[in-house]
Amino acid sequence: MSMYGRDPWGGSLEINAADSATDDDRSRNLNDLDRAALSRPLDETQQSWLLGPAEQKKKKKYVDLGCFIVSRKIFVWTVGSIVAAALLVGLITVIVEAVPRHRHNHTPADNYTLALHKALMFFNAQKSGKLPKHNNVSWRGSSCLSDGKGKQGSFYKDLVGGYYDAGDAIKFHFPASFAMTMLSWSVIEYSAKYEAAGELNHVKEIIKWGADYFLKTFNSSSDTINTMVAQVGTGDTSGGSTTPNDHYCWMRPEDIDYERLVTECSHCSDLAAEMAAALASASIVFKDNKAYSQKLVHGARTLFQFARDQRGRYSERGSEAAIFYNSTSYWDEFVWGGAWLYYATGNNSYLQLATNPGIAKHAGAFWGGPDYGVLSWDNKLAGTQLLLSRLRLFLSPGYPYEEILRTFHNQTSIIMCSYLPIFTKFNRTRGGLIELNHGRPQPLQYVVNAAFLATLYSDYLEAADTPGWYCGPNFYSTDVLRDFAKTQIDYILGKNPRKMSYVVGFGNHYPKHVHHRGASIPKNKIRYNCKGGWKWRDTTKPNPNTLVGAMVAGPDRHDGFRDVRANYNYTEPTIAGNAGLVAALVALSGDKTTGIDKNTIFSAVPPMFPTPPPPPAPWRP
């Protein structure tokens, strides 16, 4: 684009002096003629020509209008009618303007905005620790206030706070970190949309609740660490174990009285790098709070160094994490965490790591397995490639990053192609839901992440003045991506064969038997012990408490859904799933023209190219 402005007027502004002078001369000559004509005294005949008869004894019956003569009565009636009509119109106008009327300053909230309000409330219901007064979930209270306390000589003082993962009371830090990263990403890109929906402060408070807790799970004041906390609580019931824990017992979190185990790990690259991404992205969200933002950045640096120094998967060696949230690799977290730390710090060493072809290869960036392009709590590759494509689209860093960034950009385009119905990489149910996990249970968490990526890529392209992208020889408009995202989110909100909303509290028909301990047990001043709550688990009655905003696991590959509490593959929500839902909803909400915030994510990034030197001083002899 040219750096020079254009003449906005499109034509000459010169005035013809000769024409102007001629007009003045004419005006002056006319005035002179008038004065000359009236400078001599007029005789009686001349006065009569100018002034007419001195008096008129009788009114004339006709009016001479020059071109024609009309009856005086008709003339008066006509003029009177015109005046009366003008007065009437004026009166009506005054009345209409004076009457108060309802002005629509804002367009009615769309379904995505309405669902966004509810989806965020789910995080309020999942809070652990001492709850704030404004938590707005009447059936929840403070809980698990002894987490992490009592162990002498440990690197942590207490582990109170954070979020329960799903329908149980376990705090799994791996998916929780991913959830906070996704929420932060959505705020960085769409803060204006959150503001328009009145939810910006709410979502920031949700992120801070998670970030504050993460800082407790390792020695965040240190520059180097050698261990961290992976999980609080336990749920292994294999071998018929009857030891009270967070899966064997069915209790409200407020009533838990059994010991909650703390799981530490010293070789957990995936967990540490994911938590580093969460803290780094949150530091951008809170960049206006300099002290807190720097605290988050310091914690992120410490965790990422730990991830790089002491390699290993957090779910190895038969750990309980391998049962519930098994991590397949830590290489994708290296690229993901490195990208977020670069945006948070502007330090090129993180960008060099995130764009290292060897690490990208280990992460699977150059091959297309069955789950390629599926963003989840386990695999961040699809999100990372889009996140780094952003850098290429808006900053064009050039050598030595261009080659790998172009590859990431091309891979992102291929992933977006795979989401479209005309391609066959992923099947769809008859109702239209994309099967990103190939028909396996709990599909919705993957669908919402894809809807977010598709909408975000569409907004990236539009912000870069690019109308679309290529899938092979065919060009597709950015609207195609938004349509894909809308059809998937609309399915989740009720446009499906069962006409059921899979977000609790949205619409009139939604799951009433959500697999969730707190929602299924009434708050009736009765404390149910470990087995005492089983009757609420097994009853066919609806939950006494509405878990507003919870997105359940979802239907099967035949669009079928069983609203039963016992089957968590249908009815259990998770914070990782809801984070993707929130991100997709805010991206689709409100006015499309609002778009993304192009610059905030680059706040800490230094200029890509050196400032040109100033021009030399003028030469003097």
Side-chain angles (χ1 to χ4, degrees), residues 194-522:
Y194 275 114
E195 185 73 59
E199 291 287 2
L200 183 58
N201 290 334
H202 185 196
V203 71
K204 288 174 73 172
E205 186 268 331
I206 289 170
I207 294 167
K208 189 174 187 300
W209 187 270
D212 287 348
Y213 173 72
F214 293 153
L215 292 172
K216 294 181 173 186
T217 65
F218 65 101
N219 186 356
S220 59
S221 61
S222 175
D223 292 336
T224 58
I225 59 173
N226 55 25
T227 188
M228 67 182 296
V229 177
Q231 177 182 326
V232 177
T234 182
D236 187 6
T237 57
S238 60
S241 172
T242 59
T243 303
N245 70 19
D246 296 290
H247 277 180
Y248 181 76
C249 298
W250 194 270
M251 305 172 71
R252 297 177 70 242
E254 293 81 357
D255 296 335
I256 288 175
D257 56 0
Y258 49 81
E259 183 182 2
R260 282 164 59 80
L261 296 178
V262 175
T263 304
E264 299 177 18
C265 67
S266 55
H267 298 276
C268 34
S269 298
D270 34 22
L271 169 60
E274 179 55 66
M275 194 176 287
L279 295 180
S281 57
S283 76
I284 302 173
V285 171
F286 295 102
K287 67 182 181 63
D288 293 336
N289 184 343
K290 193 171 182 181
Y292 184 62
S293 182
Q294 288 178 342
K295 186 178 182 181
L296 295 175
V297 168
H298 181 269
R301 286 179 181 272
T302 300
L303 284 168
F304 199 70
Q305 190 61 47
F306 168 58
R308 298 281 295 150
D309 289 345
Q310 297 180 211
R311 304 285 180 88
R313 288 189 302 117
Y314 94 109
S315 54
E316 277 181 340
R317 302 180 187 87
S319 66
E320 188 178 274
I323 304 172
F324 302 108
Y325 286 102
N326 183 47
S327 173
T328 53
S329 162
Y330 53 72
W331 296 102
D332 55 307
E333 279 83 19
F334 279 172
V335 187
W336 177 245
W340 277 115
L341 269 161
Y342 172 65
Y343 286 136
T345 66
N347 187 325
N348 270 353
S349 65
Y350 293 118
L351 181 59
Q352 289 165 10
L353 187 146
T355 56
N356 183 300
I359 294 177
K361 182 178 179 181
H362 282 300
F366 311 129
W367 67 285
D371 295 322
Y372 188 76
V374 181
L375 175 62
S376 72
W377 53 262
D378 177 30
N379 195 330
K380 317 325 186 304
L381 182 61
T384 305
Q385 292 182 146
L386 178 58
L387 190 63
L388 289 170
S389 296
R390 188 192 212 286
L391 185 66
R392 181 174 189 252
L393 280 167
F394 300 125
L395 294 189
S396 301
Y399 181 84
Y401 308 110
E402 170 59 20
E403 185 176 353
I404 187 69
L405 291 181
R406 184 175 67 245
T407 301
F408 287 154
H409 193 173
N410 290 340
Q411 292 300 308
T412 296
S413 295
I414 292 170
I415 289 169
M416 296 301 155
C417 298
S418 74
Y419 292 161
L420 303 185
I422 51 178
F423 296 94
T424 57
K425 177 174 173 60
F426 299 108
N427 292 329
R428 277 171 165 70
T429 67
R430 288 193 174 185
L433 186 71
I434 190 169
E435 296 182 56
L436 294 168
N437 63 338
H438 304 289
R440 297 189 293 268
Q442 307 173 28
L444 296 187
Q445 58 180 312
Y446 310 103
V447 173
V448 290
N449 290 340
F452 173 62
L453 294 185
T455 310
L456 187 56
Y457 188 51
S458 168
D459 285 342
Y460 282 176
L461 292 178
E462 292 197 2
D465 294 324
T466 306
W469 85 112
Y470 279 95
C471 295
N474 300 317
F475 184 82
Y476 292 94
S477 161
T478 54
D479 290 336
V480 174
L481 282 176
R482 294 186 74 87
D483 289 342
F484 158 74
K486 286 180 177 180
T487 58
Q488 299 305 303
I489 299 301
D490 289 348
Y491 180 105
I492 292 170
L493 296 182
K495 198 172 181 180
N496 55 62
R498 298 183 64 85
K499 301 292 187 287
M500 169 174 273
S501 164
Y502 293 112
V503 176
V504 176
F506 184 85
N508 298 320
H509 184 38
Y510 52 82
K512 303 294 197 300
H513 303 79
V514 182
H515 183 95
H516 192 275
R517 286 157 176 74
S520 65
I521 301 175

Side-chain angles (χ1 to χ4, degrees), residues 112-121 124 136 187 190-207 582 586 589:
Y112 306 124
T113 303
L114 294 173
L116 175 66
H117 297 313
K118 297 180 183 296
L120 286 167
M121 283 301 298
N124 293 44
N136 296 332
V187 172
Y190 296 109
S191 60
K193 288 193 172 187
Y194 275 114
E195 185 73 59
E199 291 287 2
L200 183 58
N201 290 334
H202 185 196
V203 71
K204 288 174 73 172
E205 186 268 331
I206 289 170
I207 294 167
V582 166
V586 74
S589 71

